[in-house]
Short mmCIF file of all heavy atoms in Angstrom, two decimals:
data_model
loop_
_atom_site.label_atom_id
_atom_site.label_comp_id
_atom_site.label_asym_id
_atom_site.label_seq_id
_atom_site.Cartn_x
_atom_site.Cartn_y
_atom_site.Cartn_z
N VAL A 12 -89.90 133.18 149.72
CA VAL A 12 -89.90 131.79 150.19
C VAL A 12 -88.70 131.58 151.10
O VAL A 12 -87.59 132.02 150.79
CB VAL A 12 -89.83 130.83 148.98
CG1 VAL A 12 -89.60 129.38 149.44
CG2 VAL A 12 -91.11 130.93 148.15
N PHE A 13 -88.91 130.90 152.22
CA PHE A 13 -87.84 130.59 153.17
C PHE A 13 -87.70 129.08 153.30
O PHE A 13 -88.66 128.38 153.61
CB PHE A 13 -88.15 131.18 154.55
CG PHE A 13 -88.07 132.68 154.63
CD1 PHE A 13 -89.19 133.46 154.40
CD2 PHE A 13 -86.87 133.31 154.93
CE1 PHE A 13 -89.14 134.84 154.49
CE2 PHE A 13 -86.79 134.69 155.01
CZ PHE A 13 -87.93 135.46 154.78
N LEU A 14 -86.47 128.58 153.07
CA LEU A 14 -86.13 127.17 153.26
C LEU A 14 -85.30 127.03 154.53
O LEU A 14 -84.27 127.67 154.68
CB LEU A 14 -85.34 126.64 152.06
CG LEU A 14 -84.66 125.28 152.23
CD1 LEU A 14 -85.66 124.18 152.52
CD2 LEU A 14 -83.83 124.93 150.99
N SER A 15 -85.75 126.18 155.42
CA SER A 15 -85.09 125.97 156.70
C SER A 15 -84.10 124.82 156.61
O SER A 15 -84.48 123.70 156.27
CB SER A 15 -86.15 125.67 157.77
OG SER A 15 -85.57 125.10 158.92
N GLU A 16 -82.83 125.09 156.91
CA GLU A 16 -81.83 124.03 156.99
C GLU A 16 -81.75 123.57 158.46
O GLU A 16 -80.78 123.84 159.16
CB GLU A 16 -80.46 124.52 156.51
CG GLU A 16 -79.43 123.40 156.36
CD GLU A 16 -78.11 123.67 157.08
OE1 GLU A 16 -78.03 124.64 157.86
OE2 GLU A 16 -77.16 122.91 156.86
N ALA A 17 -82.79 122.90 158.89
CA ALA A 17 -82.90 122.53 160.29
C ALA A 17 -82.65 121.04 160.45
O ALA A 17 -83.60 120.26 160.56
CB ALA A 17 -84.27 122.92 160.84
N PHE A 18 -81.40 120.63 160.43
CA PHE A 18 -81.06 119.24 160.72
C PHE A 18 -81.04 119.08 162.24
O PHE A 18 -79.99 119.13 162.88
CB PHE A 18 -79.72 118.87 160.10
CG PHE A 18 -79.74 118.84 158.60
CD1 PHE A 18 -78.87 119.62 157.87
CD2 PHE A 18 -80.64 118.03 157.91
CE1 PHE A 18 -78.89 119.59 156.48
CE2 PHE A 18 -80.66 118.00 156.53
CZ PHE A 18 -79.78 118.78 155.81
N THR A 19 -82.22 118.91 162.80
CA THR A 19 -82.36 118.88 164.25
C THR A 19 -83.49 117.93 164.60
O THR A 19 -84.05 117.26 163.73
CB THR A 19 -82.63 120.29 164.79
OG1 THR A 19 -82.70 120.27 166.21
CG2 THR A 19 -83.94 120.86 164.23
N ARG A 20 -83.84 117.87 165.86
CA ARG A 20 -84.89 116.96 166.30
C ARG A 20 -86.24 117.37 165.71
O ARG A 20 -86.49 118.56 165.45
CB ARG A 20 -84.94 116.93 167.82
CG ARG A 20 -83.69 116.34 168.45
CD ARG A 20 -83.86 116.10 169.94
NE ARG A 20 -84.12 117.32 170.68
CZ ARG A 20 -83.18 118.15 171.13
NH1 ARG A 20 -81.91 117.88 170.88
NH2 ARG A 20 -83.49 119.23 171.81
N PRO A 21 -87.13 116.39 165.50
CA PRO A 21 -88.38 116.67 164.79
C PRO A 21 -89.21 117.81 165.38
O PRO A 21 -89.76 118.62 164.63
CB PRO A 21 -89.14 115.34 164.88
CG PRO A 21 -88.07 114.31 164.96
CD PRO A 21 -86.98 114.94 165.78
N LYS A 22 -89.31 117.90 166.69
CA LYS A 22 -90.17 118.94 167.26
C LYS A 22 -89.64 120.34 166.95
O LYS A 22 -90.42 121.27 166.69
CB LYS A 22 -90.33 118.73 168.77
CG LYS A 22 -91.20 117.53 169.11
CD LYS A 22 -91.46 117.40 170.59
CE LYS A 22 -92.36 116.21 170.89
NZ LYS A 22 -92.62 116.04 172.34
N LYS A 23 -88.33 120.51 166.97
CA LYS A 23 -87.76 121.82 166.61
C LYS A 23 -87.97 122.11 165.13
O LYS A 23 -88.34 123.22 164.73
CB LYS A 23 -86.27 121.87 166.95
CG LYS A 23 -85.94 121.95 168.42
CD LYS A 23 -84.45 122.16 168.61
CE LYS A 23 -84.08 122.32 170.08
NZ LYS A 23 -82.64 122.59 170.26
N LEU A 24 -87.72 121.11 164.31
CA LEU A 24 -87.88 121.26 162.86
C LEU A 24 -89.32 121.67 162.54
O LEU A 24 -89.56 122.61 161.75
CB LEU A 24 -87.51 119.95 162.17
CG LEU A 24 -87.48 119.88 160.65
CD1 LEU A 24 -86.59 118.72 160.21
CD2 LEU A 24 -88.87 119.68 160.05
N LEU A 25 -90.28 120.99 163.14
CA LEU A 25 -91.68 121.25 162.84
C LEU A 25 -92.13 122.59 163.41
O LEU A 25 -92.97 123.28 162.80
CB LEU A 25 -92.56 120.12 163.37
CG LEU A 25 -92.38 118.78 162.66
CD1 LEU A 25 -93.20 117.69 163.34
CD2 LEU A 25 -92.75 118.87 161.19
N HIS A 26 -91.58 122.99 164.53
CA HIS A 26 -91.97 124.29 165.08
C HIS A 26 -91.50 125.42 164.18
O HIS A 26 -92.22 126.41 164.00
CB HIS A 26 -91.41 124.46 166.49
CG HIS A 26 -91.99 125.63 167.22
ND1 HIS A 26 -93.30 125.68 167.62
CD2 HIS A 26 -91.44 126.83 167.58
CE1 HIS A 26 -93.54 126.84 168.22
NE2 HIS A 26 -92.43 127.56 168.20
N LEU A 27 -90.33 125.29 163.61
CA LEU A 27 -89.86 126.30 162.66
C LEU A 27 -90.79 126.40 161.46
O LEU A 27 -91.06 127.49 160.95
CB LEU A 27 -88.44 125.97 162.20
CG LEU A 27 -87.34 126.21 163.24
CD1 LEU A 27 -86.05 125.51 162.83
CD2 LEU A 27 -87.09 127.70 163.43
N ALA A 28 -91.31 125.26 161.01
CA ALA A 28 -92.28 125.29 159.91
C ALA A 28 -93.54 126.04 160.32
O ALA A 28 -94.11 126.81 159.54
CB ALA A 28 -92.61 123.87 159.47
N LYS A 29 -93.99 125.83 161.54
CA LYS A 29 -95.17 126.55 162.01
C LYS A 29 -94.94 128.05 162.06
O LYS A 29 -95.85 128.85 161.82
CB LYS A 29 -95.56 126.06 163.42
CG LYS A 29 -96.06 124.64 163.48
CD LYS A 29 -96.30 124.21 164.92
CE LYS A 29 -96.71 122.75 165.01
NZ LYS A 29 -96.90 122.31 166.41
N LEU A 30 -93.71 128.46 162.35
CA LEU A 30 -93.41 129.88 162.51
C LEU A 30 -93.35 130.62 161.18
O LEU A 30 -93.32 131.86 161.18
CB LEU A 30 -92.07 130.06 163.24
CG LEU A 30 -92.02 129.55 164.68
CD1 LEU A 30 -90.65 129.78 165.28
CD2 LEU A 30 -93.09 130.21 165.53
N GLY A 31 -93.33 129.90 160.05
CA GLY A 31 -93.38 130.60 158.78
C GLY A 31 -92.45 130.09 157.71
O GLY A 31 -92.54 130.55 156.56
N PHE A 32 -91.53 129.17 158.02
CA PHE A 32 -90.66 128.64 156.98
C PHE A 32 -91.49 127.87 155.96
O PHE A 32 -92.30 127.01 156.30
CB PHE A 32 -89.59 127.74 157.58
CG PHE A 32 -88.43 128.51 158.16
CD1 PHE A 32 -88.40 128.83 159.51
CD2 PHE A 32 -87.39 128.93 157.35
CE1 PHE A 32 -87.34 129.55 160.04
CE2 PHE A 32 -86.33 129.65 157.87
CZ PHE A 32 -86.30 129.97 159.22
N SER A 33 -91.26 128.18 154.68
CA SER A 33 -92.04 127.57 153.60
C SER A 33 -91.70 126.11 153.43
O SER A 33 -92.57 125.29 153.09
CB SER A 33 -91.76 128.30 152.28
OG SER A 33 -91.79 129.68 152.43
N GLN A 34 -90.42 125.77 153.60
CA GLN A 34 -89.91 124.43 153.34
C GLN A 34 -88.87 124.09 154.40
O GLN A 34 -88.33 124.98 155.06
CB GLN A 34 -89.24 124.36 151.96
CG GLN A 34 -90.03 124.91 150.81
CD GLN A 34 -89.18 125.08 149.56
OE1 GLN A 34 -88.03 124.62 149.50
NE2 GLN A 34 -89.72 125.75 148.56
N SER A 35 -88.57 122.81 154.52
CA SER A 35 -87.57 122.37 155.48
C SER A 35 -86.72 121.25 154.88
O SER A 35 -87.25 120.35 154.23
CB SER A 35 -88.23 121.82 156.76
OG SER A 35 -89.06 122.77 157.37
N TYR A 36 -85.41 121.33 155.07
CA TYR A 36 -84.59 120.16 154.87
C TYR A 36 -85.10 119.09 155.84
O TYR A 36 -85.70 119.39 156.86
CB TYR A 36 -83.13 120.43 155.22
CG TYR A 36 -82.30 121.17 154.21
CD1 TYR A 36 -82.60 122.47 153.84
CD2 TYR A 36 -81.18 120.56 153.64
CE1 TYR A 36 -81.82 123.16 152.95
CE2 TYR A 36 -80.39 121.24 152.74
CZ TYR A 36 -80.70 122.55 152.39
OH TYR A 36 -79.92 123.23 151.50
N GLY A 37 -84.82 117.86 155.54
CA GLY A 37 -85.21 116.78 156.44
C GLY A 37 -84.11 115.77 156.57
O GLY A 37 -82.93 116.08 156.40
N TYR A 38 -84.50 114.53 156.82
CA TYR A 38 -83.53 113.47 157.07
C TYR A 38 -83.39 112.53 155.87
O TYR A 38 -82.92 111.40 156.02
CB TYR A 38 -83.95 112.69 158.32
CG TYR A 38 -84.42 113.57 159.46
CD1 TYR A 38 -85.69 113.44 160.00
CD2 TYR A 38 -83.59 114.58 159.96
CE1 TYR A 38 -86.13 114.26 161.03
CE2 TYR A 38 -84.03 115.41 160.99
CZ TYR A 38 -85.29 115.24 161.51
OH TYR A 38 -85.72 116.07 162.52
N PHE A 39 -83.81 113.01 154.70
CA PHE A 39 -83.85 112.14 153.52
C PHE A 39 -82.50 111.48 153.24
O PHE A 39 -82.44 110.28 152.94
CB PHE A 39 -84.30 112.94 152.31
CG PHE A 39 -84.23 112.17 151.01
CD1 PHE A 39 -85.12 111.14 150.74
CD2 PHE A 39 -83.24 112.45 150.07
CE1 PHE A 39 -85.05 110.42 149.56
CE2 PHE A 39 -83.15 111.74 148.89
CZ PHE A 39 -84.06 110.72 148.63
N THR A 40 -81.42 112.23 153.31
CA THR A 40 -80.11 111.67 152.94
C THR A 40 -79.71 110.49 153.82
O THR A 40 -78.89 109.67 153.41
CB THR A 40 -79.02 112.75 153.00
OG1 THR A 40 -79.07 113.40 154.27
CG2 THR A 40 -79.21 113.78 151.91
N TRP A 41 -80.28 110.40 155.01
CA TRP A 41 -79.92 109.32 155.93
C TRP A 41 -80.93 108.17 155.92
O TRP A 41 -80.79 107.23 156.70
CB TRP A 41 -79.77 109.86 157.35
CG TRP A 41 -78.62 110.83 157.48
CD1 TRP A 41 -77.29 110.53 157.54
CD2 TRP A 41 -78.72 112.25 157.53
NE1 TRP A 41 -76.55 111.69 157.64
CE2 TRP A 41 -77.40 112.76 157.64
CE3 TRP A 41 -79.78 113.15 157.50
CZ2 TRP A 41 -77.13 114.12 157.72
CZ3 TRP A 41 -79.50 114.51 157.57
CH2 TRP A 41 -78.19 114.97 157.68
N LYS A 42 -81.94 108.24 155.09
CA LYS A 42 -82.96 107.20 155.03
C LYS A 42 -82.78 106.40 153.74
O LYS A 42 -83.10 106.87 152.65
CB LYS A 42 -84.37 107.80 155.09
CG LYS A 42 -84.59 108.73 156.27
CD LYS A 42 -84.45 108.01 157.60
CE LYS A 42 -84.70 108.95 158.77
NZ LYS A 42 -84.48 108.30 160.09
N ASN A 43 -82.26 105.18 153.88
CA ASN A 43 -81.92 104.39 152.70
C ASN A 43 -82.56 103.01 152.66
O ASN A 43 -82.59 102.38 151.61
CB ASN A 43 -80.39 104.25 152.61
CG ASN A 43 -79.71 105.58 152.36
OD1 ASN A 43 -79.63 106.03 151.23
ND2 ASN A 43 -79.22 106.22 153.42
N GLU A 44 -83.07 102.54 153.78
CA GLU A 44 -83.77 101.26 153.82
C GLU A 44 -85.27 101.51 153.71
O GLU A 44 -85.77 102.56 154.09
CB GLU A 44 -83.46 100.52 155.12
CG GLU A 44 -81.98 100.23 155.35
CD GLU A 44 -81.43 99.19 154.39
OE1 GLU A 44 -82.24 98.40 153.84
OE2 GLU A 44 -80.21 99.16 154.19
N ALA A 45 -85.99 100.51 153.22
CA ALA A 45 -87.43 100.66 153.02
C ALA A 45 -88.14 101.02 154.32
O ALA A 45 -88.99 101.91 154.36
CB ALA A 45 -88.02 99.39 152.42
N TRP A 46 -87.81 100.32 155.41
CA TRP A 46 -88.49 100.58 156.67
C TRP A 46 -88.17 101.97 157.20
O TRP A 46 -89.04 102.63 157.80
CB TRP A 46 -88.13 99.52 157.72
CG TRP A 46 -86.70 99.58 158.20
CD1 TRP A 46 -85.63 98.92 157.70
CD2 TRP A 46 -86.21 100.37 159.30
NE1 TRP A 46 -84.49 99.23 158.41
CE2 TRP A 46 -84.82 100.12 159.39
CE3 TRP A 46 -86.80 101.25 160.20
CZ2 TRP A 46 -84.02 100.74 160.35
CZ3 TRP A 46 -86.00 101.86 161.16
CH2 TRP A 46 -84.63 101.59 161.23
N GLU A 47 -86.93 102.46 156.98
CA GLU A 47 -86.56 103.80 157.42
C GLU A 47 -87.36 104.86 156.68
O GLU A 47 -87.90 105.80 157.27
CB GLU A 47 -85.07 104.06 157.17
CG GLU A 47 -84.11 103.26 157.99
CD GLU A 47 -82.67 103.56 157.61
OE1 GLU A 47 -82.33 103.58 156.41
OE2 GLU A 47 -81.88 103.83 158.53
N ILE A 48 -87.40 104.72 155.36
CA ILE A 48 -88.11 105.70 154.53
C ILE A 48 -89.59 105.72 154.90
O ILE A 48 -90.19 106.79 155.09
CB ILE A 48 -87.92 105.37 153.04
CG1 ILE A 48 -86.45 105.51 152.65
CG2 ILE A 48 -88.80 106.26 152.17
CD1 ILE A 48 -86.12 104.97 151.27
N THR A 49 -90.19 104.54 155.02
CA THR A 49 -91.62 104.46 155.30
C THR A 49 -91.95 105.03 156.67
O THR A 49 -92.87 105.85 156.82
CB THR A 49 -92.08 102.99 155.22
OG1 THR A 49 -91.76 102.46 153.93
CG2 THR A 49 -93.56 102.87 155.47
N GLN A 50 -91.22 104.61 157.69
CA GLN A 50 -91.50 105.06 159.05
C GLN A 50 -91.34 106.57 159.18
O GLN A 50 -92.19 107.25 159.77
CB GLN A 50 -90.56 104.34 160.02
CG GLN A 50 -90.83 104.62 161.49
CD GLN A 50 -89.84 103.88 162.37
OE1 GLN A 50 -88.67 104.27 162.52
NE2 GLN A 50 -90.30 102.77 162.95
N TRP A 51 -90.26 107.11 158.60
CA TRP A 51 -90.00 108.54 158.70
C TRP A 51 -91.07 109.35 157.98
O TRP A 51 -91.63 110.31 158.53
CB TRP A 51 -88.60 108.83 158.14
CG TRP A 51 -88.37 110.24 157.73
CD1 TRP A 51 -88.42 111.35 158.53
CD2 TRP A 51 -88.05 110.71 156.42
NE1 TRP A 51 -88.15 112.48 157.80
CE2 TRP A 51 -87.92 112.12 156.51
CE3 TRP A 51 -87.84 110.08 155.20
CZ2 TRP A 51 -87.59 112.89 155.40
CZ3 TRP A 51 -87.51 110.86 154.10
CH2 TRP A 51 -87.40 112.24 154.20
N LEU A 52 -91.38 108.97 156.74
CA LEU A 52 -92.32 109.76 155.97
C LEU A 52 -93.74 109.65 156.50
O LEU A 52 -94.51 110.62 156.44
CB LEU A 52 -92.27 109.36 154.50
CG LEU A 52 -91.19 110.08 153.70
CD1 LEU A 52 -91.16 109.61 152.26
CD2 LEU A 52 -91.42 111.58 153.74
N GLU A 53 -94.12 108.51 157.01
CA GLU A 53 -95.47 108.41 157.56
C GLU A 53 -95.65 109.33 158.76
O GLU A 53 -96.74 109.84 159.01
CB GLU A 53 -95.80 106.96 157.91
CG GLU A 53 -96.05 106.12 156.66
CD GLU A 53 -96.39 104.67 156.96
OE1 GLU A 53 -96.13 104.22 158.10
OE2 GLU A 53 -96.91 103.98 156.05
N GLU A 54 -94.57 109.58 159.49
CA GLU A 54 -94.63 110.55 160.60
C GLU A 54 -94.78 111.97 160.06
O GLU A 54 -95.60 112.75 160.54
CB GLU A 54 -93.37 110.44 161.45
CG GLU A 54 -93.29 111.48 162.56
CD GLU A 54 -91.98 111.42 163.33
OE1 GLU A 54 -91.17 110.50 163.07
OE2 GLU A 54 -91.76 112.30 164.19
N PHE A 55 -93.99 112.31 159.04
CA PHE A 55 -94.00 113.69 158.54
C PHE A 55 -95.12 113.95 157.54
O PHE A 55 -95.33 115.10 157.15
CB PHE A 55 -92.65 114.03 157.92
CG PHE A 55 -91.63 114.46 158.94
CD1 PHE A 55 -90.94 113.52 159.69
CD2 PHE A 55 -91.39 115.79 159.18
CE1 PHE A 55 -90.02 113.91 160.65
CE2 PHE A 55 -90.49 116.20 160.14
CZ PHE A 55 -89.79 115.26 160.87
N LEU A 56 -95.83 112.91 157.12
CA LEU A 56 -96.97 113.10 156.22
C LEU A 56 -98.30 112.88 156.92
O LEU A 56 -99.32 112.72 156.27
CB LEU A 56 -96.84 112.15 155.02
CG LEU A 56 -95.69 112.47 154.06
CD1 LEU A 56 -95.60 111.42 152.96
CD2 LEU A 56 -95.84 113.86 153.46
N ALA A 57 -98.29 112.89 158.23
CA ALA A 57 -99.55 112.83 158.97
C ALA A 57 -100.41 114.03 158.56
O ALA A 57 -99.89 115.11 158.29
CB ALA A 57 -99.27 112.85 160.48
N PRO A 58 -101.74 113.84 158.49
CA PRO A 58 -102.59 114.92 157.99
C PRO A 58 -102.40 116.25 158.70
O PRO A 58 -102.45 117.31 158.06
CB PRO A 58 -104.01 114.36 158.22
CG PRO A 58 -103.84 112.88 158.14
CD PRO A 58 -102.50 112.61 158.77
N ASP A 59 -102.19 116.24 160.02
CA ASP A 59 -102.04 117.51 160.72
C ASP A 59 -100.69 118.16 160.41
O ASP A 59 -100.56 119.39 160.44
CB ASP A 59 -102.19 117.31 162.23
CG ASP A 59 -101.19 116.31 162.80
OD1 ASP A 59 -100.85 115.35 162.09
OD2 ASP A 59 -100.75 116.49 163.95
#
């Protein structure tokens, strides 16, 4: 299993996931308001 510590822009982070990384760090630690959490996760939980 490979975990990517990619604190970077979304397109780079997601491309690393496509290349084979099993998991990725994300921006969770910086998302503390309801609108921040919702907006961020709805982007990263899109079906594709």
Side-chain angles (χ1 to χ4, degrees):
V12 171
F13 289 92
L14 167 61
S15 164
E16 189 232 10
F18 292 123
T19 183
R20 295 190 299 275
K22 288 185 179 179
K23 287 187 177 183
L24 185 157
L25 292 175
H26 192 68
L27 287 165
K29 293 175 184 178
L30 296 180
F32 279 95
S33 314
Q34 310 167 10
S35 303
Y36 281 63
Y38 317 122
F39 173 72
T40 51
W41 295 283
K42 306 298 181 184
N43 295 277
E44 301 290 338
W46 69 268
E47 292 178 312
I48 295 170
T49 303
Q50 185 181 77
W51 160 61
L52 274 178
E53 286 181 343
E54 175 184 355
F55 277 81
L56 292 176
D59 58 326

